[in-house]
């Protein structure tokens, strides 16, 4: 269980998040949604231990995130960042293999089991053919799928994903979302902007607006025309399970 307890975060005098409370359900996909600048990425960074809140706390399995060692936390959660990038020209295979680092002892070499896990995750994300490529030889979408493969290779019960499909074409968006949807043993928080994609593949919704959580619950009950109007300022209607926008 991920618990968010009265989380408040400031950047200088700017209030980013205020009094965020939520118990994130295990083994389901929770979409973290809201307009640009509402604090979605900041919230994920807080849960991932990359940012300490000014108020409140995030906890995993009843233990404050800040009380975990980096190694312990890396065995509990994997983070897919919005800006897929690496500073070194590692091959795609080597990048995905880094997902096995939390389980390696100092100076220990990877095992055949680690290599097998990497191959499986790369095949699942359609990146096995890129295994000898370096980032400069890959498109942004290809590198993003490699980063998703690395997170899967980390084999954590929690995945934090910050716009993981934003750089992908529609075919790969669907492929990745289907893959996440079949991962029934994982608790996934995903920042996503496509309302219909979220409605189709996500179970629950944490909807943010101006740094506040305005809804947390089943996604079908939260993505209503009223909430869409309130949060995004646009008119929409539901037709046969799809969200259509009024122009």
């Amino acid at each position: 269980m991920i618990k968010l307890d009265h989380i408040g975060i400031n950047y200088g005098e700017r209030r980013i998040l205020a009094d965020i409370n939520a118990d994130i359900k295990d083994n389901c996909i929770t979409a973290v949604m809201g307009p640009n600048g509402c604090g979605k990425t900041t919230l994920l960074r807080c849960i991932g231990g990359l940012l300490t809140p000014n108020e409140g706390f995030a906890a995993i399995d009843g233990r404050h995130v800040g009380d975990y060692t980096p190694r312990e936390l890396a065995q509990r959660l994997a983070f897919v960042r919005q800006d897929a990038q690496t500073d070194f020209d590692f091959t795609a295979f080597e990048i995905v293999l880094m997902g096995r680092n939390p389980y390696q002892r100092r100076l220990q070499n990877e095992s055949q089991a680690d290599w097998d896990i990497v191959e499986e995750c790369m095949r699942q994300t359609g990146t096995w053919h890129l295994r000898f490529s370096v980032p400069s030889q890959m498109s942004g979408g290809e590198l993003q799928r490699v980063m998703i493969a690395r997170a899967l290779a980390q084999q954590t019960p929690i995945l934090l994903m910050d716009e993981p499909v934003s750089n992908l074409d529609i075919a790969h968006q669907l492929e990745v979302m289907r893959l996440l949807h079949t991962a029934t043993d994982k608790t996934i928080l995903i920042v996503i902007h496509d309302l219909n994609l979220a409605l189709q593949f996500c179970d629950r919704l944490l909807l943010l607006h101006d740094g506040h959580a305005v809804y947390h619950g089943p996604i079908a009950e939260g993505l209503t025309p009223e909430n869409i109007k309130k949060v995004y300022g646009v008119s929409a209607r539901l037709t046969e399970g799809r969200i259509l926008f009024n122009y």
Side-chain angles (χ1 to χ4, degrees):
M1 174 72 73
I2 299 173
K3 181 177 182 63
L4 310 178
D5 192 301
H6 297 286
I7 288 178
I9 295 178
N10 301 330
Y11 288 159
E13 296 183 357
R14 183 186 173 198
R15 187 72 158 168
I16 305 298
L17 293 173
D19 201 31
I20 304 293
N21 292 283
D23 290 331
I24 306 300
K25 281 202 162 226
D26 286 344
N27 305 329
C28 69
I29 304 177
T30 297
V32 182
M33 305 189 75
N36 293 335
C38 69
K40 302 181 297 295
T41 296
T42 298
L43 183 60
L44 256 62
R45 287 172 56 83
C46 177
I47 297 170
L50 302 174
L51 186 65
T52 301
N54 301 95
E55 302 160 6
F57 62 88
I60 297 174
D61 294 335
R63 183 178 174 188
H64 287 209
V65 168
D67 293 338
Y68 284 87
T69 68
R71 181 184 177 88
E72 288 173 333
L73 200 57
Q75 293 177 354
R76 294 297 299 159
L77 61 85
F79 201 120
V80 177
R81 301 173 185 269
Q82 178 181 354
D83 52 338
Q85 60 182 4
T86 178
D87 295 328
F88 303 98
D89 265 351
F90 294 110
T91 66
F93 188 93
E94 291 169 330
I95 291 171
V96 179
L97 190 60
M98 292 175 190
R100 304 304 302 157
N101 287 348
Y103 307 100
Q104 307 298 324
R105 296 187 181 90
R106 185 175 177 82
L107 303 180
Q108 178 186 4
N109 291 326
E110 297 85 3
S111 66
Q112 183 62 48
D114 293 318
W115 286 51
D116 291 343
I117 290 169
V118 168
E119 179 175 350
E120 178 184 3
C121 293
M122 294 189 77
R123 290 191 183 278
Q124 287 177 333
T125 53
T127 56
W128 181 242
H129 69 288
L130 299 169
R131 58 191 179 278
F132 301 122
S133 300
V134 295
S136 59
Q137 298 170 330
M138 290 182 271
S139 69
E142 288 172 335
L143 181 56
Q144 184 72 328
R145 285 188 286 134
V146 168
M147 294 304 185
I148 293 170
R150 183 177 70 176
L152 294 174
Q154 206 167 323
Q155 292 192 320
T156 57
I158 298 170
L159 286 178
L160 305 179
M161 314 189 80
D162 190 3
E163 297 190 46
V165 298
S166 59
N167 289 329
L168 305 184
D169 58 56
I170 186 61
H172 285 114
Q173 285 183 10
L174 292 171
E175 183 179 300
V176 168
M177 293 305 294
R178 287 193 196 103
L179 176 61
L180 297 179
H181 197 255
T182 60
T184 55
D185 61 337
K186 293 186 182 294
T187 301
I188 301 172
L189 281 86
I190 179 171
V191 173
I192 186 170
H193 284 291
D194 190 314
L195 274 63
N196 282 302
L197 206 59
L199 189 60
Q200 182 176 355
F201 290 102
C202 298
D203 307 294
R204 296 178 65 80
L205 170 66
L206 180 57
L207 188 60
L208 303 181
H209 181 53
D210 288 338
H212 296 270
V214 298
Y215 176 83
H216 178 227
I219 193 164
E221 299 174 18
L223 281 183
T224 62
E226 293 77 18
N227 280 340
I228 293 170
K229 180 67 174 178
K230 176 181 179 180
V231 170
Y232 294 99
V234 297
S235 299
R237 64 187 187 279
L238 286 171
T239 302
E240 297 181 350
R242 287 189 59 80
I243 299 169
L244 302 177
F245 300 98
N246 302 324
Y247 294 98

